[in-house]
Amino acid sequence: MSGQALSSLTRSTTLRERALVALRTAITTGQYQPGDHLGEVEIAEHLSVSRGTVREALRHLQQEGLVTAGARGMLRVSQLTPTEVRELFQVREALEGLAVAQIIASPRRQDSAKALRKALEKLQEAFASGADLAAKVEADLGFHLLLCELSGNSVLLKTWRQLEGPMRVVIMSAAAERRDVAMSAAAHEPIADAIARGDAAAAQEILHAHMASAIEQLGIGRDGTRETA
């Protein structure tokens, strides 16, 4: 491949990555709301890239579960049904429950508990400092991501990360007061405490309660219908 061709390929990849990052960020920070139409022409003009570049970025976001093709192939920000939200959190609980079990079984359990407490401090600071919603969501999911990382299970971690985009959309679109309750450090601290004690049964029970509470706080009723704030 000639130097000119390589330069062109690099530039194309950079533009595609830029469009992908910009669109992903706009969706996961709530600039685009669930159900919003994603027009190639408008986005291409806004980002100063070609429609083809935008199309490739949108195709990638479809694979991540952030974008869905509706009627006539029109692309929109994914809008999960109450049932899908409940299922999303059930899968999260299964993955994070396995992570907790593997952390507790590890000889590095206490080191992991310390790392989780540091993540809790970051979460507490995000709320205490009046950080914006994106920072709070980052700190909240950061705690759960760390759980999966500390498990040492690469497949578990990869699977969890595939759910991360839809999780962000659900959290960002929830009512503010309920969202804050679900993301608070107090809601997460018992998980780290149970891991530090090496109490696997308690950790699993606490994690289950945490996920059930998150579903309730994010406005999903027991019958699978979305509740009003």
Side-chain angles (χ1 to χ4, degrees), residues 68-105:
T68 303
R72 303 173 187 171
M74 188 176 292
L75 296 177
R76 296 184 181 277
V77 178
S78 296
Q79 188 167 19
L80 275 66
T81 67
T83 297
E84 288 171 333
V85 173
R86 184 175 294 279
E87 291 172 348
L88 176 64
F89 276 84
Q90 287 172 342
V91 173
R92 274 191 64 185
E93 181 185 335
L95 290 171
E96 293 180 28
L98 176 58
V100 165
Q102 294 188 338
I103 291 171
I104 290 177

Coordinates of all heavy atoms in Angstrom, one line a residue, residues 68-105:
T68 N -31.8 1.7 16.7 CA -32.7 0.7 16.1 C -33.3 1.2 14.8 O -33.6 2.4 14.7 CB -33.8 0.5 17.1 OG1 -33.2 0.1 18.4 CG2 -34.7 -0.7 16.7
A69 N -33.4 0.3 13.9 CA -34.1 0.6 12.6 C -35.6 0.4 12.8 O -36.1 -0.7 13.2 CB -33.6 -0.3 11.5
G70 N -36.4 1.5 12.5 CA -37.8 1.4 12.6 C -38.5 1.2 11.2 O -37.9 0.6 10.3
A71 N -39.7 1.8 11.1 CA -40.4 1.7 9.8 C -39.6 2.4 8.7 O -39.0 3.4 8.9 CB -41.7 2.5 10.0
R72 N -39.6 1.7 7.5 CA -38.9 2.2 6.3 C -37.4 2.4 6.6 O -36.8 3.2 5.9 CB -39.5 3.6 5.9 CG -41.0 3.5 5.6 CD -41.5 4.9 5.3 NE -43.0 4.9 5.2 CZ -43.7 6.1 5.2 NH1 -43.1 7.2 5.2 NH2 -45.0 6.0 5.1
G73 N -36.9 1.6 7.5 CA -35.5 1.7 7.8 C -35.0 2.9 8.5 O -33.8 3.2 8.6
M74 N -35.9 3.8 9.0 CA -35.6 5.0 9.7 C -34.9 4.7 11.0 O -35.4 3.9 11.8 CB -36.8 5.8 9.9 CG -36.5 7.2 10.5 SD -38.1 8.2 10.6 CE -38.5 8.4 8.9
L75 N -33.7 5.2 11.2 CA -32.9 4.9 12.4 C -33.3 5.9 13.6 O -33.4 7.1 13.4 CB -31.4 5.1 12.1 CG -30.9 4.0 11.1 CD1 -29.4 4.3 10.9 CD2 -31.1 2.6 11.6
R76 N -33.5 5.3 14.7 CA -33.8 6.1 15.9 C -33.0 5.6 17.1 O -32.5 4.5 17.1 CB -35.3 5.9 16.3 CG -36.3 6.4 15.2 CD -37.7 6.4 15.6 NE -38.6 6.8 14.6 CZ -38.9 8.1 14.4 NH1 -38.4 9.0 15.2 NH2 -39.7 8.5 13.5
V77 N -32.9 6.4 18.1 CA -32.2 6.0 19.3 C -33.1 4.9 20.0 O -34.3 5.1 20.0 CB -32.1 7.2 20.3 CG1 -31.5 6.8 21.6 CG2 -31.3 8.3 19.7
S78 N -32.5 3.8 20.4 CA -33.2 2.7 20.9 C -34.1 3.1 22.1 O -33.6 3.9 23.0 CB -32.2 1.6 21.3 OG -31.5 1.1 20.2
Q79 N -35.3 2.6 22.1 CA -36.2 2.9 23.2 C -36.6 1.5 23.8 O -37.5 0.8 23.2 CB -37.4 3.7 22.7 CG -38.3 4.2 23.8 CD -39.3 5.2 23.2 OE1 -39.5 5.3 22.0 NE2 -39.9 6.0 24.1
L80 N -36.1 1.1 24.9 CA -36.4 -0.2 25.5 C -37.8 -0.2 26.1 O -38.2 0.8 26.8 CB -35.3 -0.5 26.6 CG -34.0 -1.2 26.1 CD1 -33.2 -0.2 25.2 CD2 -33.2 -1.7 27.2
T81 N -38.4 -1.3 25.9 CA -39.7 -1.4 26.6 C -39.5 -1.7 28.1 O -38.4 -2.2 28.5 CB -40.5 -2.6 26.0 OG1 -39.8 -3.8 26.3 CG2 -40.7 -2.4 24.5
P82 N -40.5 -1.6 28.9 CA -40.3 -1.9 30.3 C -39.9 -3.4 30.5 O -39.0 -3.6 31.4 CB -41.7 -1.7 30.9 CG -42.3 -0.6 30.1 CD -41.8 -0.9 28.7
T83 N -40.4 -4.3 29.7 CA -40.0 -5.7 29.8 C -38.5 -5.8 29.5 O -37.7 -6.5 30.1 CB -40.8 -6.6 28.9 OG1 -42.2 -6.5 29.3 CG2 -40.3 -8.0 28.9
E84 N -38.0 -5.1 28.4 CA -36.6 -5.2 28.1 C -35.7 -4.6 29.1 O -34.6 -5.1 29.4 CB -36.4 -4.5 26.7 CG -37.0 -5.2 25.5 CD -37.0 -4.4 24.3 OE1 -37.0 -3.1 24.3 OE2 -36.9 -5.0 23.2
V85 N -36.2 -3.5 29.8 CA -35.4 -2.9 30.9 C -35.3 -3.9 32.0 O -34.2 -4.1 32.6 CB -36.0 -1.6 31.4 CG1 -35.3 -1.1 32.6 CG2 -36.0 -0.6 30.3
R86 N -36.4 -4.6 32.3 CA -36.3 -5.5 33.4 C -35.4 -6.7 33.1 O -34.6 -7.1 33.9 CB -37.7 -6.1 33.7 CG -37.8 -7.1 34.9 CD -39.3 -7.4 35.1 NE -40.0 -6.3 35.6 CZ -40.1 -5.8 36.8 NH1 -39.3 -6.5 37.7 NH2 -40.8 -4.8 37.2
E87 N -35.4 -7.2 31.8 CA -34.5 -8.2 31.4 C -33.1 -7.8 31.4 O -32.2 -8.6 31.7 CB -35.0 -8.7 30.0 CG -36.3 -9.4 30.0 CD -36.8 -9.7 28.6 OE1 -36.3 -9.2 27.6 OE2 -37.8 -10.5 28.5
L88 N -32.9 -6.6 31.0 CA -31.5 -6.0 31.0 C -30.9 -6.1 32.4 O -29.8 -6.5 32.6 CB -31.5 -4.6 30.5 CG -30.2 -3.8 30.6 CD1 -29.2 -4.4 29.6 CD2 -30.5 -2.3 30.2
F89 N -31.7 -5.7 33.4 CA -31.2 -5.7 34.8 C -31.1 -7.1 35.3 O -30.2 -7.4 36.2 CB -32.0 -4.8 35.7 CG -31.7 -3.4 35.6 CD1 -32.2 -2.5 34.6 CD2 -30.8 -2.8 36.6 CE1 -31.8 -1.2 34.6 CE2 -30.4 -1.5 36.5 CZ -30.9 -0.7 35.5
Q90 N -31.9 -8.0 34.9 CA -31.8 -9.4 35.3 C -30.5 -10.0 34.8 O -29.8 -10.7 35.5 CB -33.0 -10.2 34.8 CG -34.3 -9.9 35.5 CD -35.5 -10.6 34.8 OE1 -35.4 -11.0 33.7 NE2 -36.6 -10.7 35.6
V91 N -30.1 -9.7 33.5 CA -28.8 -10.2 33.0 C -27.7 -9.5 33.7 O -26.7 -10.2 34.0 CB -28.8 -9.9 31.5 CG1 -27.4 -10.3 30.9 CG2 -29.8 -10.7 30.7
R92 N -27.8 -8.2 34.0 CA -26.7 -7.6 34.8 C -26.5 -8.3 36.1 O -25.4 -8.5 36.6 CB -27.1 -6.1 35.1 CG -26.8 -5.2 34.0 CD -27.0 -3.7 34.5 NE -26.1 -3.4 35.6 CZ -26.1 -2.2 36.2 NH1 -27.1 -1.3 35.9 NH2 -25.3 -2.0 37.2
E93 N -27.6 -8.6 36.8 CA -27.5 -9.2 38.1 C -26.8 -10.6 38.0 O -26.0 -10.9 38.9 CB -28.9 -9.4 38.7 CG -28.9 -10.1 40.1 CD -30.3 -10.4 40.6 OE1 -31.3 -9.7 40.2 OE2 -30.4 -11.3 41.5
A94 N -27.1 -11.3 37.0 CA -26.5 -12.6 36.8 C -25.0 -12.5 36.6 O -24.2 -13.2 37.2 CB -27.1 -13.4 35.6
L95 N -24.6 -11.5 35.7 CA -23.2 -11.3 35.4 C -22.5 -10.8 36.7 O -21.4 -11.3 37.0 CB -23.0 -10.3 34.3 CG -23.5 -10.8 32.9 CD1 -23.5 -9.6 31.9 CD2 -22.5 -11.9 32.4
E96 N -23.0 -9.8 37.3 CA -22.4 -9.2 38.5 C -22.4 -10.1 39.7 O -21.5 -10.1 40.5 CB -23.0 -7.8 38.8 CG -22.7 -6.8 37.7 CD -23.3 -5.5 38.0 OE1 -23.5 -5.1 39.2 OE2 -23.6 -4.7 37.0
G97 N -23.4 -11.0 39.8 CA -23.4 -12.0 40.8 C -22.3 -13.0 40.7 O -21.7 -13.4 41.6
L98 N -22.0 -13.4 39.4 CA -20.9 -14.3 39.2 C -19.6 -13.5 39.5 O -18.7 -14.1 40.1 CB -20.9 -14.7 37.7 CG -19.7 -15.5 37.2 CD1 -19.6 -16.8 38.0 CD2 -19.8 -15.9 35.7
A99 N -19.5 -12.3 39.1 CA -18.3 -11.5 39.4 C -18.1 -11.4 40.9 O -16.9 -11.7 41.4 CB -18.4 -10.1 38.9
V100 N -19.1 -11.2 41.7 CA -19.0 -11.1 43.2 C -18.5 -12.5 43.7 O -17.6 -12.5 44.6 CB -20.4 -10.7 43.8 CG1 -20.4 -11.0 45.3 CG2 -20.6 -9.3 43.5
A101 N -19.1 -13.6 43.2 CA -18.7 -14.9 43.7 C -17.2 -15.2 43.4 O -16.5 -15.7 44.3 CB -19.6 -16.0 43.0
Q102 N -16.8 -14.8 42.2 CA -15.4 -15.0 41.9 C -14.4 -14.1 42.7 O -13.3 -14.5 43.0 CB -15.2 -14.8 40.4 CG -16.0 -15.9 39.6 CD -15.6 -15.9 38.1 OE1 -15.2 -14.9 37.6 NE2 -15.9 -17.0 37.5
I103 N -14.8 -12.9 43.0 CA -14.0 -12.0 43.8 C -13.9 -12.6 45.2 O -12.8 -12.6 45.8 CB -14.6 -10.6 43.8 CG1 -14.5 -9.9 42.5 CG2 -13.9 -9.7 44.9 CD1 -15.3 -8.6 42.4
I104 N -15.0 -13.0 45.8 CA -14.9 -13.6 47.1 C -14.1 -14.8 47.2 O -13.4 -15.1 48.2 CB -16.4 -13.8 47.6 CG1 -17.1 -12.5 47.9 CG2 -16.4 -14.6 48.9 CD1 -18.5 -12.6 48.3
A105 N -14.1 -15.6 46.1 CA -13.3 -16.8 46.1 C -11.8 -16.6 45.9 O -11.0 -17.5 46.0 CB -13.9 -17.8 45.1

